C-alpha cells in the first residue's frame, strides 16, 4: 500500500484519479478500526468446510456470522453438486463436501443472459466444483451467494482444500506454526511475521480472536529470548489482575519472593524487549499488549 | 443444510462406521463383475451399482454404506483418473479424524 502510494506520487503525480483511489483504501481501514461502519476489512477470503458454515452462529442477533470468533463473509469451498435447481433469477446448487450440505445460489446476470458467450456453465450432479462466494443468512437459513463457480479438474484440489481449511482454523484458534513463534534470535521479526499472517487471514484482526492470537504469540516471542528471571516476572504479571495501572515492583517482589534488585533487572530486560512499559510512575509496570 | 456428514475413511476406520455412509478414496486394484477391490491404506471390497464405470489402476472415490463384513455397498462412484495423490488422500482422512469439529457430526 505504502509503496504503491509512493510510486503513483513520483511517477504519475499528474493523475489525480489514482491518488483518490489510494485515499479511499486508507479511509476504509480507518473506518474498520472505529468499528462504527460496516467494514470491508472482514472480507478476507477464507477456506472452509461446509460443516463450519452450517455450524456457525451470530455472536448476538443481528451480528455478523462468525467462525472461530472471526466474522466471516467471503468464503471458498469445494464440494460435489448434489442437485441443481434452475430458477428465473438464479441457479441453486446443493453442494456436499462430505462434512455437510449447503445451498449455493449463483445469480443469473440478466444482461449477459442473451449473450451465448458469457452464460454461466451449468454443473451436472456429482461433479466437484470450487465455489467462491459470500455467506449470507436469510430467514434463519444460510446459503452461499456465489460470485464464481468452476469445475474441479484435478481431484487433489479437493483434498488440498480440506487441509487448507483445517490449517486456517488452527491458525486462528491456536496461533500459527510453532516455527514462527520461537523463530531463532530475531524475536521481534518472529512476532512481526506472525502478525502479518494474522492480518492475512483475519482481515486486519478486528475480531477479538485475531487480536488475541497476535498478542499472545508476539509477546511470547519477545519474552522467549529473555532470562529465566524475566520470564518468571512476565508470567507473574500476566497472571495477576493489575488493571490498566499495572503492578508496582514492590508488589512483584513480595509476590514472587525476589529481591527488588532482581525484579528491577528483570523488568529492565522485559522493557528492552518491548514486552512491558511503565505506567503511573517509574516503578509501576504493565504488559504491553498491542 | 441438514446436519449430515459422510466421513472420509480408509480401510482401518471401516469397523467404526458399520451401517453408516462413508467416502473412500483409493486405487482400483481389481474388477470382478459387480465387485471391485480398492486399495485405501488397505484393501476394501466394494459392491458396485449399475452406474459404476471404473478402470483398474485408476483412482476412484466411492460413497457407500459399510456392511457388517466391512465391504462397502456403493451408492455413487467417480473415476478420478491416474493423477491422484493417495498419501494426500490418506492424510486428509487422518486430519479429518483429528479435527472432527470441522468435518463430522457425532
Amino acid at each position: 500500500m505504502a509503496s504503491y502510494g509512493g510510486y503513483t506520487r513520483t511517477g504519475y503525480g499528474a493523475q489525480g484519479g489514482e491518488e483518490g483511489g489510494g485515499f479511499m483504501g486508507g479511509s476504509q481501514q480507518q473506518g474498520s478500526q472505529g468499528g462504527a461502519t460496516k467494514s470491508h476489512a472482514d472480507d478476507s477470503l477464507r477456506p472452509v468446510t461446509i460443516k463450519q458454515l452450517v455450524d456457525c452462529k451470530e455472536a448476538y442477533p443481528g451480528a455478523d456470522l462468525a467462525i472461530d470468533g472471526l466474522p466471516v463473509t467471503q468464503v471458498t469451498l469445494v464440494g460435489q453438486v448434489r442437485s441443481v435447481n434452475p430458477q428465473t433469477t438464479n441457479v441453486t446448487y446443493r453442494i456436499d463436501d462430505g462434512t455437510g450440505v449447503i445451498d449455493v445460489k449463483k445469480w443469473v446476470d440478466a444482461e449477459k443472459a442473451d449473450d451465448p458467450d458469457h452464460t454461466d456453465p451449468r454443473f451436472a450432479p456429482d461433479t466437484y466444483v470450487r465455489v467462491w462466494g459470500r455467506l449470507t443468512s436469510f430467514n434463519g437459513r444460510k446459503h452461499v451467494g456465489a460470485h464464481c463457480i468452476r469445475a474441479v479438474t484435478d481431484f487433489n484440489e479437493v483434498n488440498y482444500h480440506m487441509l487448507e481449511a483445517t490449517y486456517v482454523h488452527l491458525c486462528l484458534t491456536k496461533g500459527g506454526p510453532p516455527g514462527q513463534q520461537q523463530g531463532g534470535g530475531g524475536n521481534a521479526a518472529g512476532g512481526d511475521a506472525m502478525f502479518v499472517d494474522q492480518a492475512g487471514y483475519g482481515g486486519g484482526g478486528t475480531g477479538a480472536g485475531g487480536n488475541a492470537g497476535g498478542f499472545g504469540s508476539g509477546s511470547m516471542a519477545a519474552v522467549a529470548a529473555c532470562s529465566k528471571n524475566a520470564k518468571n516476572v512476565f508470567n507473574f504479571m500476566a497472571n495477576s489482575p493489575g488493571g490498566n495501572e499495572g503492578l508496582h515492583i514492590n508488589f512483584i517482589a513480595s509476590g514472587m519472593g525476589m529481591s527488588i534488585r532482581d525484579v528491577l533487572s528483570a523488568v529492565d530486560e522485559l522493557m528492552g524487549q518491548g514486552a512491558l512499559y511503565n505506567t503511573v510512575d517509574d516503578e509501576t509496570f504493565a504488559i504491553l499488549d498491542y | 443444510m441438514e446436519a449430515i456428514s459422510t466421513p472420509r475413511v480408509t480401510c482401518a476406520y471401516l469397523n467404526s462406521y458399520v451401517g453408516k455412509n462413508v467416502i473412500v478414496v483409493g486405487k482400483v486394484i481389481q474388477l470382478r463383475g459387480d465387485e471391485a477391490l480398492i486399495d485405501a491404506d488397505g484393501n476394501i471390497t466394494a459392491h458396485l451399482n449399475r452406474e459404476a464405470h471404473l478402470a483398474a489402476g485408476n483412482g476412484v472415490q466411492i460413497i457407500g454404506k459399510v456392511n457388517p463384513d466391512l465391504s462397502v455397498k456403493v451408492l455413487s462412484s467417480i473415476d478420478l483418473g491416474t493423477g491422484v495423490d493417495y498419501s494426500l488422500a490418506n492424510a486428509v482422512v487422518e486430519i479429518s479424524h483429528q479435527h472432527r469439529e470441522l468435518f463430522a457430526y457425532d
Side-chain angles (χ1 to χ4, degrees):
Chain A
M1 188 77 188
S3 61
Y4 254 127
Y7 182 71
T8 47
R9 264 193 292 280
T10 52
Y12 298 94
Q15 294 186 339
E18 296 277 342
E19 293 276 322
F23 178 70
M24 286 297 283
S27 64
Q28 280 171 354
Q29 280 179 348
Q30 282 169 1
S32 78
Q33 280 164 3
T37 53
K38 192 96 175 171
S39 73
H40 294 282
D42 305 326
D43 280 354
S44 56
L45 181 67
R46 179 158 176 196
V48 291
T49 66
I50 290 175
K51 179 171 188 287
Q52 285 179 291
L53 298 181
V54 173
D55 284 354
C56 77
K57 292 189 179 71
E58 297 128 324
Y60 52 90
D64 290 332
L65 291 162
I67 303 175
D68 302 329
L70 217 68
V72 171
T73 50
Q74 308 286 344
V75 295
T76 177
L77 56 93
V78 174
Q80 267 182 298
V81 176
R82 281 282 164 260
S83 71
V84 185
N85 185 11
Q87 286 156 339
T88 49
T89 54
N90 69 74
V91 184
T92 304
Y93 297 95
R94 304 213 87 193
I95 305 288
D96 177 359
D97 70 350
T99 71
V101 186
I102 199 164
D103 283 342
V104 173
K105 288 185 199 291
K106 180 77 178 81
W107 295 94
V108 176
D109 191 336
E111 289 177 9
K112 289 180 182 170
D114 301 332
D115 187 350
D117 292 340
H118 290 97
T119 48
D120 293 318
R122 292 281 169 82
F123 300 97
D126 276 0
T127 49
Y128 263 107
V129 293
R130 180 180 278 275
V131 176
W132 290 267
R134 174 180 281 269
L135 179 64
T136 40
S137 182
F138 185 70
N139 283 344
R141 278 180 68 87
K142 276 172 282 200
H143 70 266
V144 174
H147 305 308
C148 175
I149 304 178
R150 71 158 166 78
V152 167
T153 49
D154 182 347
F155 176 76
N156 293 320
E157 183 176 347
V158 178
N159 284 325
Y160 132 76
H161 173 81
M162 294 297 161
L163 295 185
E164 195 184 20
T166 312
Y167 176 78
V168 171
H169 163 75
L170 290 177
C171 269
L172 293 174
T173 52
K174 301 188 174 170
Q180 282 180 317
Q181 288 180 22
Q182 297 151 8
N187 46 62
D192 283 346
M194 186 60 216
F195 195 75
V196 168
D197 232 7
Q198 286 285 340
Y201 285 121
T206 45
N211 270 339
F215 155 61
S217 52
S219 49
M220 281 306 156
V223 174
C226 294
S227 66
K228 189 162 166 285
N229 259 356
K231 279 179 198 166
N232 288 342
V233 168
F234 184 85
N235 287 337
F236 176 80
M237 294 182 71
N239 293 323
S240 305
N244 288 334
E245 280 185 17
L247 301 171
H248 194 268
I249 51 165
N250 284 340
F251 180 82
I252 300 172
S254 63
M256 297 187 66
M258 288 167 69
S259 68
I260 297 284
R261 177 196 284 262
D262 285 350
V263 174
L264 267 179
S265 69
V267 164
D268 270 347
E269 198 178 339
L270 288 167
M271 288 210 357
Q273 294 292 341
L276 296 186
Y277 66 104
N278 53 329
T279 55
V280 288
D281 56 38
D282 284 347
E283 296 177 331
T284 308
F285 300 90
I287 291 174
L288 181 65
D289 49 349
Y290 41 86
Chain B
M1 296 296 281
E2 296 96 57
I4 301 169
S5 56
T6 317
R8 286 156 208 278
V9 300
T10 53
C11 186
Y13 286 98
L14 280 180
N15 60 4
S16 316
Y17 292 98
V18 171
K20 302 218 171 75
N21 286 346
V22 294
I23 298 179
V24 177
V25 175
K27 185 175 185 174
V28 181
I29 307 280
Q30 205 176 61
L31 285 169
R32 292 186 299 248
D34 61 353
E35 264 185 31
L37 198 62
I38 291 165
D39 175 18
D41 214 17
N43 290 348
I44 299 173
T45 306
H47 300 283
L48 303 176
N49 56 5
R50 283 169 177 271
E51 293 92 65
H53 291 286
L54 305 185
N58 277 11
V60 67
Q61 171 189 284
I62 58 175
I63 299 177
K65 193 170 179 179
V66 182
N67 294 324
D69 65 352
L70 301 190
S71 63
V72 176
K73 181 177 181 293
V74 174
L75 304 170
S76 133
S77 63
I78 322 173
D79 182 80
L80 302 175
T82 51
V84 180
D85 185 340
Y86 298 105
S87 56
L88 171 65
N90 294 344
V92 169
V93 170
E94 295 301 325
I95 292 291
S96 68
H97 284 81
Q98 277 170 30
H99 303 285
R100 297 188 62 84
E101 71 275 13
L102 297 186
F103 292 95
Y105 296 92
D106 291 307

